Amino acid sequence: MADKSTKGLADVVAASTALSDIDGKAGRLFYRGYDIHDLAGRATFEEVAHLLQRGRLPDRAELAAYSESLAAGREPGPLAAANIAEIAGKQTPMEALRSLVSLAAADDPDKDSTAHEANLRKAARLTAQQPVLVARYHAARTGGSVPDADPELSIAGNFLLQVTGRRPEPRQVEIFDECLVLHADHTMNASTFAARVCAATLSDMHSAIVAAIGTLKGPLHGGANEQVMKTLESIPADGVAQAVRERLAAGEKIMGFGHRVYKTEDPRATHLRRMSAELAEAAGDDTYYRMSKEMEEVVFEAKGLYPNVDFYAASVYHYLGIPTDLFTPVFSISRMSGWTAHVIEQHADNRLIRPDSEYIGETDQKWKPIDER
């Protein structure tokens, strides 16, 4: 049997990266050496995407040029655009994104190249198109329309505009932009690893991103924030403690708590808790924030578990007017910056990722003709 400590590749170093790092004991997260606490609420998502994909925080001229490339690549190509309505009628949100990103590859002028400059251009297009694909998918399935992007708004602002149909308040844009920064990258998580495994075969960036989206789709990775919101909606506002204790006693897992790496509070949860409280006050309804706080206290008392990034993200997205089943696609909007950066990094210094395995099946089997079996 495999050593229990390495099951699921726990603590196994699968790749070297300069993109992000975690200090699990201290509860710290770094993007290219910058503490997330220094970036959150200060650097915009566009700045962080530039940092991850291009190696440094941009100066004003570099940010302007990068923002121009994002705006120029925002519109999905004809093949993806033509199929959004049909896909929306047949596929769930993450299934749809998996399909649409695959179709987007056919529309990309750099689809056949894994050269560094081509990868940079594709990374910008994928980062710019992902929020548009989510918004257009949502409009197609609800029979609505998507407002034109506002050149004065950021990726965060335009997504809120296009998915809700309302021009967001400036503070809502700032908060959502901070959410995107907090989710941009997170070392060798499952979807990032899947992207790098695909890229290591020298497959193209779009294929690697499709692998990442398919991995993020799983409820043990990207679906937790949606499950948190469903839990909050299923519990009486005045019966949180009792409901949580009953579920824990029945052996049920409360989503949004605990983390494979962090041994203390997830640093991203610190910011999301604050934003949830602020949005609850602005909405004049603190029900879900108050329930979340009580749930956090009960789970910590019973299990000693801290909330992770998914827990308070649920109520933040809810207060921003984002439909619950789009929470995981929103995760992909942010993580696209990190996924594409990892593909760029993998292609720049590539070695095929081919781990070993331990055989645990039968041995010394003897073949018999079919009539003798």
Side-chain angles (χ1 to χ4, degrees), residues 195-206:
R196 290 193 75 132
V197 170
C198 183
T201 69
L202 294 184
S203 190
D204 64 286
M205 182 176 284
H206 283 79

Side-chain angles (χ1 to χ4, degrees), residues 18-302:
L19 293 172
S20 59
D21 189 29
I22 294 171
D23 182 339
K25 291 182 179 179
R28 301 181 72 187
L29 169 62
F30 304 88
Y31 296 164
R32 290 196 184 273
Y34 291 94
D35 193 313
I36 194 67
H37 293 313
D38 289 334
L39 295 173
R42 294 176 175 176
T44 64
F45 176 60
E46 285 81 355
E47 288 178 278
V48 167
H50 189 286
L51 170 67
L52 292 171
Q53 294 168 354
R54 305 190 177 202
R56 63 187 178 277
L57 285 172
D59 59 26
R60 289 192 182 279
E62 289 170 331
L63 180 59
Y66 182 64
S67 297
E68 275 188 29
S69 69
L70 292 173
R74 181 188 295 130
E75 283 298 307
L79 186 61
N83 284 277
I84 289 175
E86 184 173 359
I87 285 172
K90 297 179 179 179
Q91 294 190 311
T92 62
M94 290 301 291
E95 291 171 346
L97 288 180
R98 183 187 62 204
S99 299
L100 291 169
V101 170
S102 185
L103 290 173
D107 293 324
D108 196 292
D110 290 306
K111 69 183 181 68
D112 295 322
S113 176
T114 58
H116 182 69
E117 291 301 319
N119 274 346
L120 289 176
R121 292 190 293 269
K122 285 188 284 188
R125 284 191 283 267
L126 280 161
T127 301
Q129 287 173 13
Q130 193 73 350
V132 179
L133 291 175
V134 175
R136 290 194 182 179
Y137 165 84
H138 180 58
R141 68 176 180 170
T142 58
S145 60
V146 175
D148 291 337
D150 185 334
E152 299 300 316
L153 290 177
S154 62
I155 284 177
N158 271 312
F159 177 73
L160 291 178
L161 167 67
Q162 294 188 323
V163 84
T164 66
R166 304 184 304 273
R167 187 174 183 84
E169 297 293 329
R171 183 57 184 148
Q172 291 179 315
V173 175
E174 291 173 353
I175 286 174
F176 186 55
D177 189 83
E178 188 172 346
C179 290
L180 296 181
V181 168
L182 292 170
H183 287 83
D185 197 47
H186 206 246
T187 70
M188 203 56 62
N189 58 86
S191 56
T192 297
F193 183 58
R196 290 193 75 132
V197 170
C198 183
T201 69
L202 294 184
S203 190
D204 64 286
M205 182 176 284
H206 283 79
S207 293
I209 298 307
V210 169
I213 291 173
T215 308
L216 185 68
K217 177 178 176 289
L220 291 184
H221 185 17
N225 48 19
E226 181 179 341
Q227 295 305 314
V228 170
M229 197 65 228
K230 289 181 177 178
T231 299
L232 290 171
E233 292 171 335
S234 70
I235 292 176
D238 59 354
V240 172
Q242 179 181 346
V244 171
R245 290 190 182 106
E246 287 176 353
R247 293 186 183 200
L248 290 174
E252 295 182 31
K253 183 177 180 180
I254 306 297
M255 299 301 286
F257 291 92
H259 196 277
R260 174 75 73 86
V261 180
Y262 294 115
K263 307 308 177 188
T264 184
E265 179 164 291
D266 185 329
R268 302 166 297 177
T270 306
H271 294 273
L272 289 160
R273 182 191 295 108
R274 166 181 51 80
M275 290 187 282
S276 178
E278 180 181 340
L279 288 170
E281 183 177 2
D285 180 2
D286 69 349
T287 301
Y288 287 126
Y289 170 71
R290 183 166 36 83
M291 291 175 68
S292 298
K293 278 289 293 177
E294 187 174 358
M295 189 179 297
E296 177 186 357
E297 293 165 2
V298 174
V299 171
F300 186 79
E301 178 185 342

